[in-house]
Amino acid sequence: MIDFNGRLSLEDRAHNLVSLSIPEKPVSNPVLQLLDSGNLVVRDDGGGYLWQSFDYPGDTLLPGMKIGWDYKTGLNRIMTSWKDNGDPSSGDFTLGLDTPALPQLVLERSSIKQSRWGPWDGIRFSGTLALEKTNPVFHPVFTTNSDGVHFTYDMVDGSVLLRFVVTQLGKVQFLTWKNCTQEWIPMVTLNKDSCEGYGSCGPYGICYVSEPNCQCLKGFEANSSGDWNGISDWTDGCKRNFDLKCEGDGFVKFEGLKLPDNGTLWASQDSNECERNCLLECNCMAYTHLDVYGNGSSVCVVWFNELFDMRSFPRGGDNLYIRMARAELDSIALAKMEKNQTLISLILTSTATGIAFLGFLIAWCRFKIKCVSRQ
């Protein structure tokens, strides 16, 4: 119900009133209206919105609704799951954008991270193809500017009824309506495989959908004793083969990765400055370049201390430059040299074999020609 002051309230079964909005200024003629978009608004007749339901998402995000940070109002819009199918009060799971400086989608349960997608790399959230701009049904929209940082989506196919939800079991899904069965069914699920669990492979571990799920980065070995093939808990992660010395360290490029958590934005540095300044900081473990603002201009992102929550992502993954000790760099260079030497030896051996065979073939042909001539 709405009173003459523009105050919107809900009444429960016990006839208790719960206020949803209290206007900050006097209202002459308040109007409560449900828009075609699904947005329930309180407005002053002839004026702007005094309150809108789109500012307070529940478990559902409709096209045009936003989650994220509004710098002007200080509002951080997040999604919250229902307690159960019949109880819309707040459940255990929330979904929102992490720190505004380097936004990523984060699913939490009772304030503990469960899954993470990001950061935004100008095309998608790092580590998922579910929110690509090439989707034929919906178009994800990520915006960062002076007004705030927001995630939403627009419909490409207007004939499809779609909603983005966080279920009471913690599934993050796009649901589409099927007329034939009169039900909502999943079209896209973000946290659909074992690698979506937060930090499942521990520090410096890489998660793979195939078995075994976890492997160490090259240059690292398992912290736990024994073979990772025989265990189901990899959260101890990995340790370096050679300890860092700071002086003499360098970087090794890794491709096709979901970027680790807890990155720091160094926005004013170009690619050369990014590498050089990260190298000067002894606890700077990695860096990369991302088009965080979606304007075609990459910025420097660095990671301090351990690298956590990564996964293999061959199609659509990002590059990450990871700090390595000089001894590891020398080992990599030696292995590369030996590989090249082996390749050269194979080429020379193959060439020599080919020449010998060709010589034999020529001699044999000459012999056959002489035999034919004598006859």
Side-chain angles (χ1 to χ4, degrees):
M1 65 181 66
I2 185 171
D3 63 21
F4 60 90
N5 291 317
R7 179 178 183 142
L8 181 64
S9 304
L10 291 178
E11 183 177 313
D12 63 18
R13 292 179 180 177
H15 304 291
N16 297 312
L17 292 179
V18 178
S19 294
L20 296 182
S21 71
I22 301 175
E24 297 179 354
K25 57 183 180 180
V27 180
S28 59
N29 188 20
V31 176
L32 179 65
Q33 183 179 6
L34 180 62
L35 305 180
D36 291 341
S37 63
N39 192 9
L40 182 66
V41 302
V42 176
R43 60 181 177 83
D44 194 357
D45 191 17
Y49 298 161
L50 304 172
W51 178 91
Q52 58 177 336
S53 63
F54 272 20
D55 281 340
Y56 305 93
D59 70 333
T60 296
L61 202 70
L62 298 176
M65 290 181 71
K66 301 175 182 178
I67 56 174
W69 302 78
D70 189 317
Y71 295 154
K72 293 182 178 179
T73 64
L75 186 65
N76 179 23
R77 302 180 182 91
I78 62 172
M79 299 171 65
T80 305
S81 67
W82 285 20
K83 184 167 287 186
D84 57 51
N85 281 332
D87 186 352
S89 59
S90 296
D92 294 333
F93 295 93
T94 60
L95 180 74
L97 288 178
D98 208 351
T99 168
L102 194 61
Q104 53 187 5
L105 281 175
V106 175
L107 176 71
E108 294 186 343
R109 182 176 190 176
S110 302
S111 300
I112 298 174
K113 287 183 181 179
Q114 303 296 305
S115 296
R116 179 187 65 91
W117 301 274
W120 182 258
D121 64 8
I123 300 174
R124 64 181 70 85
F125 285 100
S126 179
T128 181
L129 296 177
L131 297 175
E132 283 197 303
K133 293 182 178 180
T134 55
N135 191 291
V137 177
F138 64 90
H139 181 199
V141 179
F142 177 79
T143 305
T144 176
N145 52 39
S146 58
D147 294 330
V149 180
H150 304 111
F151 169 75
T152 183
Y153 65 98
D154 296 330
M155 295 303 300
V156 177
D157 186 349
S159 66
V160 178
L161 289 178
L162 191 73
R163 61 191 183 109
F164 185 51
V165 302
V166 179
T167 73
Q168 62 267 26
L169 298 177
K171 286 294 183 182
V172 182
Q173 299 175 317
F174 282 92
L175 303 180
T176 184
W177 179 255
K178 288 295 183 183
N179 280 324
C180 56
T181 57
Q182 294 290 292
E183 62 179 341
W184 292 96
I185 63 171
M187 188 182 79
V188 174
T189 300
L190 269 65
N191 46 349
K192 63 181 180 180
D193 59 52
S194 56
C195 284
E196 299 296 356
Y198 181 73
S200 57
C201 294
Y204 299 110
I206 301 293
C207 190
Y208 292 81
V209 177
S210 58
E211 296 292 339
N213 283 124
C214 294
Q215 297 179 29
C216 291
L217 287 164
K218 288 184 179 180
F220 296 79
E221 60 182 359
N223 264 317
S224 56
S225 58
D227 188 352
W228 270 16
N229 288 316
I231 63 175
S232 57
D233 183 1
W234 300 281
T235 52
D236 281 347
C238 307
K239 59 184 178 182
R240 294 179 179 276
N241 293 335
F242 299 97
D243 291 337
L244 297 174
K245 302 296 184 182
C246 193
E247 185 175 352
D249 294 345
F251 293 98
V252 174
K253 181 181 179 180
F254 290 81
E255 299 178 334
L257 292 180
K258 171 189 175 181
L259 295 174
D261 195 12
N262 300 318
T264 299
L265 189 66
W266 283 358
S268 61
Q269 302 191 27
D270 62 29
S271 57
N272 292 328
E273 291 174 327
C274 186
E275 178 179 359
R276 182 172 60 251
N277 290 330
C278 184
L279 197 58
L280 291 174
E281 297 277 351
C282 294
N283 63 338
C284 185
M285 295 295 106
Y287 76 91
T288 194
H289 311 100
L290 292 180
D291 183 12
V292 175
Y293 303 115
N295 58 7
S297 178
S298 295
V299 295
C300 175
V301 180
V302 296
W303 283 264
F304 295 95
N305 303 315
E306 293 180 329
L307 304 181
F308 197 73
D309 192 40
M310 295 178 288
R311 69 176 290 175
S312 173
F313 217 79
R315 187 173 76 89
D318 291 288
N319 297 331
L320 184 66
Y321 299 83
I322 298 179
R323 191 184 198 109
M324 294 290 186
R326 173 52 53 187
E328 184 65 42
L329 297 175
D330 292 342
S331 175
I332 293 172
L334 179 62
K336 185 176 181 180
M337 183 179 66
E338 291 175 346
K339 182 179 178 181
N340 290 338
Q341 288 176 343
T342 301
L343 182 61
I344 292 171
S345 297
L346 287 173
I347 292 173
L348 292 176
T349 301
S350 299
T351 302
T353 303
I355 292 172
F357 177 74
L358 182 60
F360 170 78
L361 186 61
I362 292 171
W364 182 81
C365 289
R366 288 177 175 175
F367 174 77
K368 293 293 290 181
I369 291 171
K370 288 181 179 179
C371 290
V372 172
S373 297
R374 289 172 182 174
Q375 293 176 358

